[in-house]
Amino acid sequence: MKKYVCEPCGYVYDPEEGDPENGIDAGTPFEKLPDDWVCPVCGVGKDEFSLEE
Amino acid sequence: MNRTLRENIDWVGHVDWTVRDFHGYDTARGATYNAYLVRDDQTALIDAVKAPYADELLGSIAALTDLSGVKFVVCNHAEPDHAGGLPRVMAALPNAALVCDKKCATALSQHHDTTGWKMRIVATGDTISLGRRTLQFLETPMVHWPESMFTYVPEEKLLFSMDAFGQHYATSQRFDDEVPLGTVMEEAKIYYANIVMPFGKQVAALLKKTAGLDIGMIAPAHGVIWRKHIPVILEAYQNWADCRPKPKVLVIYDTMWDSTGRMARAILAGASQPGVEAQLIHIRHSSLTRIATEVLDAAAVAFGSSTLNQGLMPMAGAVLTYLKGLRPVGKVGFAFGSHGWSGGGPEAVNEYLRAMKWEVPREPLKAQYRPTPNVLDECRAVGGMLAEKAREMAADRKVGGRQCNEP
């Protein structure tokens, strides 16, 4: 599964870890995150994430 | 005033003696906007000042060197209290290139017309040689904006740390050993709580990175420069980033006819135990800035609001909104308050405590119109329970609710 980077703040969404603090189970691919999920560090939406190179 | 950090490295900032409201932050001791001039074969200005003080900055530079000799203007942070003066500065320095990271260049272009500026984009690890000294850059995303950066001068063991380790503290003195340490640490704590707290995870990661640097002096963008008490401020940042609580219980409340006030005082009485610091804070006799600062190292928070129009007292709502944004983690929370015919106040408090992912060991405690002796007994018992939890958390270095920032 692919990791995605938050453009503004550099946070990396790792699907293997998920975002359990915000109700996202480990193993959830980035594409399956709900539309209203936001970066847990700086608060921007999914559209400001890009694939980690 | 001694402005000299090292030979040919001088402070050229502005002391703002009168500011008392810094975008809502209660700057009771004023502030400084620190800029530094590194004179070498090529001279560099590290950061600027708020727009109204740009001419003063240019005057301070001109007193030390010819403006045409300034080759680099490093912008470590695009926020207007430092970068606001850049348009005037860049216009007055004919040979200077603006040095910043990619995100900072974008942010600057969104604040100012930067089309005429010569830009030099740097990233972590990049260096610029000035002659005898080198500028080395370290990006520090979200400490406390996305574009934030440190600049390090290895030959001088000198770290220009931007807002990190800063304090809002106007003084004619420039160094930490020239002022009372208690005052500096108090202001550093207020600063961390109100500006840096949401980014504890990033701070913890950054402290690991900077541990590899040989640091003999830390020059932040606000307040005094650290040269004697560097281990003290680094340890404080580590403790704050680790959310290490003190055995401390806060009772924060707002009240209409003192019913919630009576409950608050009963909770305080219960929490006033040996080895525990218990504090009573009436919201309308305090400030957002002070409250956030006390919450930073508290283990437990009892938060009360009377019910007004089926909801929170408005200032209680302001405090909770502010706290939620600052994301204090690892606390134990408890909601209480009075109501008349409808509920609403204490329940709304409780929702905030849960939203902050604190440990909330019991349902809100409510009193209709006036707290009965039984309710006040229960308040005292809850206070005792919070004190016990606070003591355990401080002793075991445990936290309540959501776990703390692990880098």
Side-chain angles (χ1 to χ4, degrees), chain B residues 95-112:
Chain B
N95 300 316
L98 193 287
V99 180
C100 67
D101 73 7
K102 201 173 134 199
K103 282 174 191 151
C104 188
T106 305
L108 288 173
S109 73
Q110 289 162 334
H111 280 86
H112 313 289

Side-chain angles (χ1 to χ4, degrees), chain B residues 187-197 200 203 237 240-241 296:
Chain B
E187 289 300 334
K189 181 181 174 189
I190 296 170
Y191 193 90
Y192 185 96
N194 287 276
I195 303 285
V196 188
M197 188 172 1
V203 170
Y237 261 60
W240 295 328
L296 174 64

Side-chain angles (χ1 to χ4, degrees), chain A residues 6-11 20-23 39-43, chain B residues 103 141-142 145-147 198-199 201-202 327 357 402-404:
Chain A
C6 174
E7 285 294 334
C9 80
Y11 163 84
E21 285 179 6
N22 295 295
C39 172
V41 174
C42 76
Chain B
K103 282 174 191 151
M142 299 321 286
W145 275 21
E147 83 320 348
F199 311 110
K201 201 177 278 190
Q202 284 71 29
R327 288 185 278 176
K357 301 186 172 73
R402 178 156 60 133
Q403 292 306 297
C404 191

Side-chain angles (χ1 to χ4, degrees), chain B residues 70-261:
Chain B
V70 181
K71 296 294 169 60
F72 303 104
V73 174
V74 177
C75 178
N76 283 317
H77 181 26
E79 200 167 1
D81 50 331
H82 315 287
L86 283 179
R88 177 86 191 89
V89 167
M90 291 307 285
L93 302 176
N95 300 316
L98 193 287
V99 180
C100 67
D101 73 7
K102 201 173 134 199
K103 282 174 191 151
C104 188
T106 305
L108 288 173
S109 73
Q110 289 162 334
H111 280 86
H112 313 289
D113 178 5
T114 61
T115 45
W117 300 6
K118 210 182 336 170
M119 303 294 289
R120 174 141 171 196
I121 306 300
V122 293
T124 294
D126 287 354
T127 57
I128 292 178
S129 173
L130 301 176
R132 288 190 299 115
R133 275 83 58 95
T134 313
L135 303 179
Q136 195 173 304
F137 305 101
L138 172 65
E139 291 169 280
T140 62
M142 299 321 286
V143 182
H144 67 108
W145 275 21
E147 83 320 348
S148 302
M149 181 172 87
F150 285 179
T151 299
Y152 177 63
V153 183
E155 296 84 355
E156 304 285 3
K157 303 178 182 180
L158 171 57
L159 181 69
F160 295 106
S161 66
M162 204 354 72
D163 282 346
F165 315 117
Q167 335 95 44
H168 281 319
Y169 182 16
T171 157
S172 65
Q173 314 282 44
R174 296 276 66 84
F175 295 94
D176 62 343
D177 49 68
E178 300 176 321
V179 292
L181 181 61
T183 307
V184 189
M185 288 309 296
E186 183 187 352
E187 289 300 334
K189 181 181 174 189
I190 296 170
Y191 193 90
Y192 185 96
N194 287 276
I195 303 285
V196 188
M197 188 172 1
F199 311 110
K201 201 177 278 190
Q202 284 71 29
V203 170
L206 186 58
L207 288 170
K208 280 200 166 172
K209 276 192 206 164
T210 52
L213 297 177
D214 188 2
I215 298 175
M217 191 181 282
I218 299 176
H222 295 291
V224 295
I225 297 156
W226 302 95
R227 66 181 179 190
K228 183 174 180 192
H229 301 293
I230 291 172
V232 178
I233 186 64
L234 289 179
E235 190 191 350
Y237 261 60
Q238 190 72 60
N239 282 336
W240 295 328
D242 291 346
C243 323
R244 198 159 288 167
K246 290 190 170 163
K248 177 169 151 185
V249 179
L250 299 181
V251 185
I252 304 171
Y253 72 104
D254 197 355
T255 186
M256 292 175 70
W257 295 108
D258 203 38
S259 291
T260 302

Side-chain angles (χ1 to χ4, degrees), chain B residues 13 29 68 79 129 188 252 259 287 300-301 350:
Chain B
R29 288 193 174 96
S68 64
E79 200 167 1
S129 173
I252 304 171
S259 291
S287 73
V301 178
N350 208 45

Side-chain angles (χ1 to χ4, degrees), chain A:
Chain A
M1 282 188 290
K2 288 166 182 157
K3 295 178 183 177
Y4 281 75
V5 186
C6 174
E7 285 294 334
C9 80
Y11 163 84
V12 178
Y13 177 77
D14 181 350
E16 285 184 19
E17 291 176 12
D19 179 16
E21 285 179 6
N22 295 295
I24 306 297
D25 293 334
T28 307
F30 184 81
E31 297 74 15
K32 292 270 173 69
L33 289 171
D35 288 341
D36 60 356
W37 181 83
V38 296
C39 172
V41 174
C42 76
V44 300
K46 283 176 72 178
D47 55 339
E48 298 204 40
F49 278 71
S50 58
L51 191 62
E52 189 182 56
E53 288 168 13

